[in-house]
Amino acid sequence: MTPLSIQPHETAAHPVDLPGQGHSKHRISPMYDLLKGIRIVDFTHVWQGPVATLLLADFGADVIKIERPGRGDWSRAWGPFAGDVSLPFAGLNRNKRSIVLDLKAADGQTALDKLLATADVVVHNFRPGVDRKMGIDFETLHPRFPKLIHASASGWGEAGPDAERGRAGHAQMAAAEGGLFSAADGDRLPAPPTVSMDHIAGLVLSNAILAALVSRARTGLGTQVFTDLHSAALTAHVWDGPRALNPTAADAGDVNLSVTEKTLQHSWRTADGFIEISPVFTDNPVQLICRGLGLPDLTQDARFSDPLVQYENREALRDLLAARLVEKTTAEWLPALEEQGILCAQVLSPQQALTRPEAGVNGMIVEVEHPTAGKLSLVGCPVRTTTAPRPSTPPPMQGQHTDEVLKEIGLK
């Protein structure tokens, strides 16, 4: 079957003026030329790896997504759909090109070799050892392509019992064994975090690739970088991890923020929804919250006089605050608490969050025109720069750029 060769139609996506630039020619846009000239051969699939290559594509790298014949990336088959286009796939694969290669065939291997000779980075998120079977591991490629960077992300790392037995990895598994599920509380079971470890690991991998590119600029040689879901989960413990690793350390100082945040949960019900309250960056947050809510100073009560006794009597304290918060709307409580220096926010759904003014003006909503699905709105790049911008391109159809890329490497 001849791969499709449809050219994407580019459309500008919510550009706005950069701070301090007024109506200048410098505009915020979802794609830049920071990595122009860098070519990435991308074997990643589903979520973890594509997050990394999405960010690099937004920075201007030429990301060539290698897909297997047949179904291609697993996520192409996962809904919801806009027409025949998977929206999860679309969100992760803007600004990339797709080619289909049968690596079990001689011509597929020839095409891959020629492509790797033009590449700066090869990246995958297979289980450890799969790249060796495919012949794209660092040890195989480095003697032939010494400038090529080899990047990978897995479930459990390159060493240790899990890797040695080839254990399958998944975001929720990594969160569970990475200590990121919420603690059980009475009849409430531990719950997974709302942010996927796939996303965190992908961002870590993109940073590793950027560091490897800097290293190559200095040494002239490519290197190998890798991360995994479990390691990414553990990095989330940089705040409270040292306490867990040093159990004999004593508490010191006037305010124990971790105790205060355990005493007062972050979400509270109001008359019309929910509010988040952060009891941080002040010596006596309970006192200030009481002022904002128009309550007597509960810290004058012996049960709530300091953070430790507040924690011991947390249910009683929570009940008093909760009973007051449901008497007014979130919009009424926000300014009252902010006036006392208490950090607080609305609790929004993803749909609500993506329609806030900040999402649009900071370039976080991207509109692209897809050949079959039509106009799609997608999440944009979180990084902005004064580098000349380019419009974002839609997620590729499977094999859309096969002929185009083969011509570029002299095989058509």
Side-chain angles (χ1 to χ4, degrees):
M1 183 179 71
T2 302
L4 294 173
S5 187
I6 300 173
Q7 297 300 313
H9 173 65
E10 296 185 348
T11 58
H14 303 292
V16 299
D17 294 310
L18 286 166
Q21 295 291 339
H23 295 285
S24 71
K25 63 181 180 180
H26 298 292
R27 309 283 280 179
I28 291 176
S29 177
M31 191 173 184
Y32 310 103
D33 284 331
L34 298 172
L35 293 181
K36 184 177 181 180
I38 297 297
R39 172 168 283 179
I40 298 173
V41 175
D42 180 9
F43 283 94
T44 69
H45 57 283
V46 186
W47 193 343
Q48 179 189 24
V51 166
T53 55
L54 172 64
L55 188 61
L56 301 176
D58 280 341
F59 290 169
D62 177 20
V63 176
I64 300 175
K65 187 176 182 71
I66 311 295
E67 299 197 64
R68 55 183 172 163
R71 67 183 300 167
D73 189 321
W74 287 97
S75 65
R76 285 188 181 274
W78 298 345
F81 294 89
D84 59 352
V85 176
S86 161
L87 289 178
F89 176 86
L92 285 163
N93 290 283
R94 294 181 294 100
N95 293 332
K96 301 177 186 179
R97 298 196 286 172
S98 168
I99 70 173
V100 172
L101 291 182
D102 182 359
L103 298 182
K104 295 180 181 179
D107 59 350
Q109 282 292 341
T110 297
L112 178 60
D113 282 352
K114 285 187 171 292
L115 186 58
L116 290 173
T118 71
D120 299 280
V121 181
V122 60
V123 55
H124 69 80
N125 59 325
F126 302 128
R127 295 188 200 183
V130 173
D131 58 349
R132 194 175 307 113
K133 293 178 182 178
M134 296 174 63
I136 60 168
D137 58 297
F138 181 75
E139 290 76 13
T140 298
L141 295 180
H142 186 66
R144 300 175 57 210
F145 309 110
K147 294 185 177 181
L148 185 66
I149 291 163
H150 186 281
S152 62
S154 62
W156 307 100
E158 302 299 307
D162 290 327
E164 289 170 5
R165 68 184 177 94
R167 185 185 186 191
H170 184 266
Q172 301 294 36
M173 294 167 64
E177 295 196 9
L180 292 182
F181 271 49
S182 64
D185 187 3
D187 293 333
R188 189 183 69 193
L189 295 173
T194 57
V195 175
S196 173
M197 291 306 101
D198 279 316
H199 203 90
I200 296 175
L203 295 177
V204 171
L205 182 61
S206 66
N207 275 272
I209 291 170
L210 292 173
L213 287 168
V214 172
S215 173
R216 191 187 66 176
R218 185 178 66 251
T219 67
L221 292 174
T223 188
Q224 183 177 22
V225 291
F226 32 74
T227 188
D228 60 273
L229 291 169
H230 185 251
S231 295
L234 295 181
T235 66
H237 295 299
V238 290
W239 176 274
D240 57 359
R243 175 190 293 262
L245 293 170
N246 300 276
T248 60
D251 289 326
D254 296 327
V255 180
N256 187 323
L257 294 179
S258 61
V259 169
T260 303
E261 289 191 88
K262 290 175 182 176
T263 299
L264 301 180
Q265 76 271 19
H266 280 269
S267 59
W268 303 80
R269 187 180 295 276
T270 65
D272 66 342
F274 299 91
I275 188 171
E276 184 277 333
I277 298 176
S278 293
V280 296
F281 305 138
T282 174
D283 290 341
N284 198 338
V286 172
Q287 181 184 68
L288 296 178
I289 290 170
C290 289
R291 289 179 188 171
L293 300 182
L295 289 172
D297 182 1
L298 294 176
T299 63
Q300 298 304 306
D301 185 320
R303 296 175 298 166
F304 314 125
S305 59
D306 64 58
L308 293 179
V309 296
Q310 288 168 7
Y311 181 74
E312 293 171 0
N313 298 288
R314 59 190 177 279
E315 294 300 333
L317 179 58
R318 291 173 185 174
D319 288 345
L320 290 169
L321 298 179
R324 177 60 173 154
L325 281 161
V326 295
E327 294 178 1
K328 293 185 179 182
T329 67
T330 301
E332 291 175 297
W333 285 130
L334 288 171
L337 289 166
E338 288 174 349
E339 187 176 345
Q340 299 301 322
I342 292 296
L343 302 181
C344 52
Q346 303 174 74
V347 178
L348 301 178
S349 68
Q351 290 81 1
Q352 292 171 318
L354 290 166
T355 57
R356 296 186 76 241
E358 286 76 9
V361 299
N362 286 303
M364 287 306 300
I365 309 301
V366 175
E367 288 184 356
V368 296
E369 190 74 25
H370 191 274
T372 63
K375 184 175 290 187
L376 295 176
S377 294
L378 304 171
V379 178
C381 177
V383 177
R384 291 167 293 280
T385 176
T386 54
T387 300
R390 290 186 290 127
S392 185
T393 61
M397 299 170 69
Q398 186 179 349
Q400 177 179 338
H401 303 95
T402 303
D403 287 347
E404 178 179 292
V405 172
L406 293 180
K407 286 179 182 178
E408 292 174 5
I409 59 176
L411 292 179
K412 283 281 186 176

